[in-house]
Amino acid sequence: MYFPCRYDLHFMNFTKRWEEFSATQNFFNIIERKVIVHERNIIKEILWMLSGVKDVFILQWNGSEFLPNSQIHSCELTSKSLGNILKEFCEYGTKVAVLRDFVNDVQLRNSDVGKNCHIFQAYTEAVKEQVQHVTNQISDLDKILRDKRKIFTLLVLRKEIKPILDAIDLIYFIHQETTGTICTTDDPFGRMCKILQVLWELLCHQSLREQMSSMLLKIILTVFLRTSTPLFSFLEELMFLG
């Protein structure tokens, strides 16, 4: 049985009726899609991110920093706990990305060879070596995870990876202190002096801290010595030449 229509279908303006209907609807009120993932997958992407991979799903790179994907939910943790843990790891992932971008940018900018003195280039190589060392340590953990030689949870990962995160913190701090000091001058000699001064002051200051571990102190010393290599070579040649 058909009921009579209140509109005259022969003369009705369907466009107008559609606009009236659309005005009463909220097409943007879309239910957010939730993705449930296992803790193991979250750990894998954390390790990838800390290795320098930006194209990941659970931790998303927005061009300047990593942020947790709000659609992700864990089988083992509450959304709040997972969010707090991921935010912490995202901070370290962002630091690694900044350090890697710095190294790549310096190596690709051939036009700034004159401004980038030998000391600055040596400093860049020193940062690159330290970041690579971190990557190697992360790769070792990833291999343990893939081989299932150890059961990892996010809490276990935080404990296992803490020395690596401390190293990332220190390398990033050195980088911020150094680049923040030399950004005010383009003079190669001035940049050389400022880089060496900052690294020497950091080395002296950190060596006096009782809480500083030998591993972290070794990082600062290695960066300083690696950066100073061109200067040592110059002084050695000068000494032999008389």
Side-chain angles (χ1 to χ4, degrees):
M1 179 178 181
Y2 296 96
F3 294 94
C5 179
R6 64 190 181 94
Y7 298 113
D8 187 344
L9 298 181
H10 291 286
F11 302 99
M12 188 176 73
N13 187 333
F14 285 99
T15 302
K16 181 180 179 181
R17 296 302 175 191
W18 173 252
E19 290 176 350
E20 291 175 353
F21 171 76
S22 299
T24 63
Q25 304 299 312
N26 182 7
F27 293 106
F28 297 98
N29 186 20
I30 302 173
I31 298 176
E32 184 181 9
R33 182 185 176 190
K34 304 296 183 181
V35 181
I36 307 297
V37 295
H38 193 274
E39 199 168 7
R40 179 182 175 87
N41 298 103
I42 298 174
I43 293 173
K44 284 167 59 177
E45 289 214 3
I46 288 174
L47 295 178
W48 293 345
M49 175 188 67
L50 294 176
S51 298
V53 179
K54 291 182 178 178
D55 188 16
V56 288
F57 174 67
I58 297 174
L59 307 159
Q60 297 181 327
W61 176 255
N62 67 0
S64 59
E65 63 179 343
F66 278 101
L67 295 172
N69 188 337
S70 60
Q71 297 179 349
I72 296 300
H73 292 266
S74 171
C75 305
E76 296 84 5
L77 296 171
T78 64
S79 298
K80 185 175 181 180
S81 298
L82 177 63
N84 291 335
I85 293 175
L86 292 183
K87 284 179 182 178
E88 179 183 353
F89 281 114
C90 280
E91 291 179 6
Y92 291 100
T94 299
K95 291 177 180 179
V96 171
V98 169
L99 292 170
R100 284 182 167 274
D101 288 345
F102 162 73
V103 172
N104 293 335
D105 183 55
V106 171
Q107 293 179 337
L108 291 175
R109 280 185 300 159
N110 296 325
S111 59
D112 286 344
V113 172
K115 184 173 71 174
N116 294 339
C117 61
H118 293 303
I119 291 292
F120 183 79
Q121 293 172 354
Y123 164 74
T124 304
E125 286 297 320
V127 172
K128 179 181 177 181
E129 289 175 2
Q130 294 302 318
V131 173
Q132 185 59 49
H133 183 61
V134 167
T135 302
N136 293 342
Q137 291 178 299
I138 296 294
S139 297
D140 292 339
L141 281 178
D142 184 54
K143 190 174 187 305
I144 293 174
L145 180 67
R146 284 186 283 108
D147 294 343
K148 299 180 180 180
R149 284 183 279 157
K150 188 172 184 178
I151 298 176
F152 273 104
T153 65
L154 284 170
L155 296 179
V156 171
L157 178 66
R158 288 174 67 182
K159 182 179 179 181
E160 290 284 334
I161 210 172
K162 188 180 185 307
I164 302 176
L165 299 182
D166 289 342
I168 293 173
D169 258 337
L170 180 59
I171 300 167
Y172 183 78
F173 175 72
I174 293 172
H175 170 68
Q176 290 294 96
E177 290 291 310
T178 305
T179 54
T181 302
I182 66 175
C183 66
T184 57
T185 179
D186 290 338
D187 176 55
F189 181 76
R191 290 163 71 89
M192 178 193 76
C193 294
K194 288 187 175 183
I195 290 172
L196 294 177
Q197 180 183 2
V198 168
L199 293 178
W200 175 251
E201 289 177 353
L202 283 175
L203 180 61
C204 293
H205 175 71
Q206 298 297 333
S207 62
L208 297 176
R209 293 180 56 190
E210 295 181 358
Q211 300 88 349
M212 175 65 67
S213 68
S214 58
M215 182 197 74
L216 297 181
L217 188 59
K218 182 180 178 181
I219 290 176
I220 301 178
L221 180 59
T222 302
V223 172
F224 174 75
L225 293 177
R226 182 71 176 84
T227 303
S228 305
T229 299
L231 179 61
F232 294 154
S233 299
F234 171 75
L235 294 176
E236 186 178 9
E237 291 179 8
L238 194 64
M239 182 178 64
F240 281 117
L241 291 175

